Amino acid sequence: MTAYDYDLFVIGAGSGGVRAARLAAELGARVGIAEEYRVGGTCVIRGCVPKKLLAYGSRYHQELEGAGAYGWSFGAVQFDWQTLIGNVRREVDRLEGIYTRLLENAGVDLLSTRATLEDPHTLKLADRDAVVTAKTVLVATGGHPHLPDVPGKEHLITSNECFLLDALPASMAIIGAGYIGVEFASIFAGLGVQVTLIYRGEQILRGFDEELRLRLAQGLRKRGIDIRLGAAIASIAKDEAGYQVNFAHGDPVEAGLVMAATGRVPNTVGLGLQQIGIALGWNGHVVVDEFSKSSIDNIYAVGDVTDRVNLTPVAIHEATCFAETVFNDTSTPVNHTFTPTAVFSEPEIATVGLTEEEAREKYRVVDIYKSAFRPLKYTLAKREEQMLIKLVIDAETDKVLGCHVLGPDAAEIVQMAAIAVQLGVTKAQFDATRALHPSVAEEIVTMRHKWEPPTPVAGSDAAA
Ligand code: FAD
C-alpha cells in the first residue's frame, strides 16, 4: 500500500476548500490545503462580504434624505471613500484571520503557496522543490473575471480592483449587467459616482424574473444610473481626460474608469489538469458528477471551478457533500434546487425557485399572486417607490414554485421563504400563516387574489 503524505489535499482555501478541509480533518483525515493568495477566497477577500459592506455604505445617503421626515436633521452630508474602504479592508483582514484559525484549529496543514498537479496523487508546491502526495485531491480553485476581447481591454478594471481603489472617479462606465455589474453600478451611484451601465442584451439581469428585471431597471434609472441596452462595445480608448467606451453604433460614453463585469472563468489553466487527462467543459470548468467526482477517480472538484451554481452557499454545500461522501461513508449527492439568491442593489431583489417564465414552460397551469405597494417606511418621506412581492404557483398542486421580491430587505425575506418553498408548501399553507403586522413581508401571506392579465380594451393595440 502506498503511504501518502495526506489523506486529502485541497487546492484553494476559498469557501469550498476551507469547508471541505475543515470537515475532513474533523472526521479524522490528514489534510493539507494550499492557498496562493489569501485565505477565505473570493467571497471573503473580494466578493460577497466586502461588496455587501460597500452596498451598506452606499445606502446611507438615501436613508439620511428620508430621515428629515422623521424629524432628524444633520449638518452638511459628506462622504469619505478612504474611511469606508479602509474599514472594509480591516474587516476583511479580521475575517481572513478567523478562517486561518478555523483551519489551524481543525489540524489542517495550511501551505501559503500555489499548488499544481503532477499526476493524480502528486502535487507540486511553487515555494519549494519537494512534492507532496495525497490519496484524494480536491480542486477548489474558484474563478476569475473574464475580460471582453476588444481593443483597449487593458484599460478595464474588474470587481477585483474595485476593492483596491484609492479614490472614486467622478464617473464610471460598467460593462455587463449580470448581478456583479448591477451591484457595483448601484454601489458607485449611491456613493455619488455618475454611472453608465452598458449591456449588449435587451434587459439587465438575464435569468431573473422578467418583471423584477424591468422594475429594477426602472429603480436604478430613478437613482440616476444611465442604462444603455443593446450596446455592443467596439473598443476602449484612453486620453488625458479619462476613458472612452466606443460602440458599434451610437455615441461613445466618457468615464473616469471603465469596469468589466462580463462573467467569470473557472481557474483551471496551468493547474496540470489537462496533462493528467481530466475532463474539462466548454469554458475550462472541471466536469464532475453529483458527488463532485471528476473523470479521475481520486480527484474531486467543488465550487466555482465546476461552474454549476456559482454562489458561496453552493460551494459550501458541495464541499459538505464531498466530505460526507468521501470521509464519512455517507453518499451525499449535491442538490442545487431552490438555491435562493439576491442582488444587493438599491432597490434590492431576491429570488428562490422558478421565475414566472420558467414555470409557464414547465407546468400546465401557473397562477401568479403579486402585490406592488409602497412600504410604510417610505410614506412619511414621500418616497414614491413600490415594493414587489410575487409568488409563482403550480395551479394543479397549489405548490409554491417561486418567490420573487424587490424592495427593502428582499434578501432577508426570501431567505425565510426559501425554507417553505424547499419544503414544498402550498399557497393555502402560506395563506394559513398568520401575518406579522406591520411588516412588508406580511404581504407574502396575505395575497388572496390571483393576478389576472389586464383585459384588452376594444380598439386598443392589444385587442387587435
Ligand atoms: P473561491 O472562493 O474563489 O476560492 C478559490 C481559492 O483558490 C482562491 O483563494 C484562490 O486564490 C485559490 N487558488 C486558485 N488556484 C490556486 C492554486 N493553483 N494553488 C493554490 N490556491 C489557488 N456569492 C454569493 O453567494 N453571494 C454574493 O453576494 C456574492 N457576491 C459576489 C461578488 C463578487 C464581486 C464576486 C466576484 C463573487 C461573488 N459571489 C457571491 C460568488 C462567490 O464569491 C463564489 O461563488 C465563491 O467564492 C466560490 O467559492 P470557491 O471555493 O469555489 O472559490
Side-chain angles (χ1 to χ4, degrees), residues 10-18 34-49 51-52 111 113-116 140-143 145 159-160 163 179-180 183-184 264 267 270-271 302-305 309-316 341-342 344:
V10 182
I11 313 179
S15 307
V18 168
E35 171 52 54
E36 67 175 348
Y37 181 53
R38 294 182 65 181
V39 174
T42 305
C43 171
V44 175
I45 307 296
R46 46 194 180 185
C48 332
V49 173
K51 173 212 59 193
K52 182 96 188 259
L111 306 159
T113 185
R114 179 172 173 80
T116 50
T141 49
S159 59
N160 287 350
F163 301 110
Y179 81 94
I180 293 177
E183 286 177 334
F184 277 98
R264 292 178 60 83
N267 285 333
L271 268 184
V302 295
D304 286 10
V305 75
V309 180
N310 297 333
L311 293 169
T312 286
V314 176
I316 290 173
T341 181
F344 295 102

Side-chain angles (χ1 to χ4, degrees), residues 118-131:
E118 299 224 311
D119 68 48
H121 293 284
T122 309
L123 295 116
K124 167 104 190 69
L125 301 175
D127 66 347
R128 65 200 75 175
D129 282 339
V131 292

